[in-house]
Amino acid sequence: MPTSSSPQTDMTPAHRKLISGWLFLLCFMLLGMIAIGGVTRLTGSGLSIMDWQPVSGFIPPLSHAEWERLFALYQTIPQYHLQHEGFGLEGFQKIFWAEWIHRFWGRLMGLVLLLPLIWFVVRGMITRRLALRLFIFFILGALQGAIGWFMVASGFRPNSTAVEPVRLVLHLSAALLLYGAILWTAFSIRWPTPESHGSSSAARLAKRLACFTIVLLCTTIIAGGFTAGTHAGFLFNTFPLMDGHLIPTDYAQLSPFWMNWFINKAAVQFDHRLLATLTALSIGAVLLVGLKATDLGAKAHNAFILLGWAVVIQYALGVTTLLLVVPVWAGAVHQTFAAVLLGVMLYVLHCLRGTKAVA
């Protein structure tokens, strides 16, 4: 097996294309996982499965007795008594399948990562360092499953009908971190050499702005997680004003003040709106500066244009989701496209990686 310490060396172009394509497939599956997770959250399906069986959970209920057993377990938690009491086995099955598919998809992703990885290692198609990195991704994926169960368990507490927002954000953040790491690795394998080493002041400024913007984007996504976890999106469904005010009148109703950012629904929704707008403006600045940098090459310029379209679509999805009072389809698409926008932002940064950030 090759022993080079870099995933960009000792790999043939054909192998780079094959392995990066496999990693892109995993990223696409992660997007699907995020979408399904949005559906389970918005339909209240996440608490329908009361046990965590990492291996046997691959098999759905195959008998009426097993369905009755699972339904009886569900009837012991507060969500059933507070929201779904009396909806019967058929109603339980509807919410069960959304959560089961979510978990099944996660297990399937683990196999799609592990089995080809073993094959590539045995065939000597990847470097040892890359093999180690990908195995760490597999471990992180398994850990993500544990974080998911940690999140779900919070919904079983007395008088609880949903998971804790903090745990929801932790679960979402871990998924996005894994998605970003795999996507960056795929970019680096597919395009190991920077297209151009821009050195103009515009190129350097574009890279600095892009680095700042991706931090702002991640903060916006985290704020969106709190908006989802606290159901703050259902509170004010007008735009750009909130109950006739630019800033809601009860923004600072909690003490200490910082608690408003995580618990106060009015503040949580306003913060997400504000951060989303600042992110869109920051991306606009990246485009204005980056497109003027003629020494960056066509690939980087195309990445900037793609980023512009992505942020317009995501902002429009956010406003649409709000105005329609968060229907399941819009909420799931908005959540998923946030990860798409993050991926495009990473692609822009990857195109700029040969540019020096300072003069």
Side-chain angles (χ1 to χ4, degrees):
M1 185 175 72
T3 59
S4 172
S5 61
S6 172
Q8 291 86 8
T9 59
D10 289 341
M11 294 175 63
T12 67
H15 287 173
R16 283 202 300 269
K17 185 175 181 180
L18 174 64
I19 294 168
S20 62
W22 162 57
L23 295 179
F24 285 136
L25 172 63
L26 280 168
C27 290
F28 181 77
M29 293 185 72
L30 270 166
L31 291 176
M33 190 70 169
I34 292 171
I36 299 169
V39 171
T40 60
R41 173 180 57 80
L42 290 164
T43 58
S45 304
L47 304 181
S48 60
I49 302 180
M50 293 287 297
D51 48 12
W52 186 38
Q53 300 173 335
V55 178
S56 60
F58 253 117
I59 304 174
L62 300 177
S63 67
H64 183 74
E66 180 64 9
W67 276 115
E68 291 286 358
R69 184 187 73 83
L70 293 171
F71 185 35
L73 284 175
Y74 178 68
Q75 289 174 303
T76 64
I77 68 172
Q79 188 192 62
Y80 171 76
H81 297 288
L82 296 175
Q83 288 187 343
H84 296 149
E85 188 167 14
F87 76 165
L89 180 60
E90 184 178 351
F92 169 72
Q93 289 173 328
K94 290 180 180 179
I95 64 171
F96 174 91
W97 281 118
E99 176 63 10
W100 185 85
I101 291 171
H102 186 54
R103 299 190 187 192
F104 174 82
W105 194 258
R107 295 180 176 99
L108 182 62
M109 285 181 55
L111 293 178
V112 173
L113 173 56
L114 183 61
L115 296 182
L117 174 58
I118 294 173
W119 172 258
F120 293 142
V121 170
V122 170
R123 295 295 301 271
M125 296 170 62
I126 59 177
T127 65
R128 288 179 179 175
R129 184 175 180 181
L130 178 58
L132 177 61
R133 183 191 303 184
L134 296 176
F135 181 72
I136 291 174
F137 291 163
F138 175 77
I139 298 299
L140 291 176
L143 179 62
Q144 173 69 348
I147 294 173
W149 177 249
F150 174 70
M151 174 192 68
V152 169
S154 68
F156 300 152
R157 295 178 177 179
N159 299 319
S160 176
T161 60
V163 300
E164 291 183 356
V166 172
R167 298 193 189 191
L168 173 67
V169 170
L170 175 63
H171 188 49
L172 176 62
S173 299
L176 291 174
L177 179 63
L178 183 61
Y179 165 77
I182 295 176
L183 188 59
W184 187 269
T185 301
F187 289 153
S188 298
I189 294 172
R190 178 63 66 95
W191 302 290
T193 304
E195 180 188 45
S196 174
H197 294 269
S199 58
S200 66
S201 58
R204 296 195 302 269
L205 179 57
K207 184 174 183 178
R208 289 196 295 269
L209 286 172
C211 291
F212 168 78
T213 300
I214 199 167
V215 174
L216 186 57
L217 173 60
C218 291
T219 305
T220 303
I221 294 174
I222 291 173
F226 280 105
T227 303
T230 60
H231 305 286
F234 294 91
L235 187 59
F236 299 99
N237 298 103
T238 57
F239 186 85
L241 300 181
M242 303 173 68
D243 197 21
H245 301 275
L246 187 61
I247 302 176
T249 55
D250 50 352
Y251 181 94
Q253 67 178 358
L254 300 181
S255 181
F257 178 77
W258 61 266
M259 292 182 63
N260 291 282
W261 301 338
F262 308 102
I263 301 175
N264 181 357
K265 294 183 180 181
V268 167
Q269 190 192 127
F270 175 80
D271 290 344
H272 185 49
R273 290 184 180 208
L274 177 62
L275 287 167
T277 301
L278 292 176
T279 299
L281 293 174
S282 182
I283 288 177
V286 172
L287 299 182
L288 288 174
V289 174
L291 291 174
K292 291 181 180 179
T294 57
D295 56 336
L296 285 177
K299 182 181 175 183
H301 284 174
N302 290 336
F304 287 134
I305 294 172
L306 182 63
L307 178 63
W309 280 110
V311 73
V312 168
I313 293 172
Q314 176 63 357
Y315 200 90
L317 282 171
V319 174
T320 300
T321 301
L322 184 71
L323 296 179
L324 295 180
V325 197
V326 199
V328 172
W329 70 266
V333 172
H334 181 52
Q335 176 175 295
T336 306
F337 206 82
V340 174
L341 178 58
L342 176 60
V344 176
M345 193 73 239
L346 286 171
Y347 178 63
V348 169
L349 280 173
H350 197 268
C351 292
L352 298 175
R353 70 194 189 281
T355 302
K356 294 182 178 180
V358 296

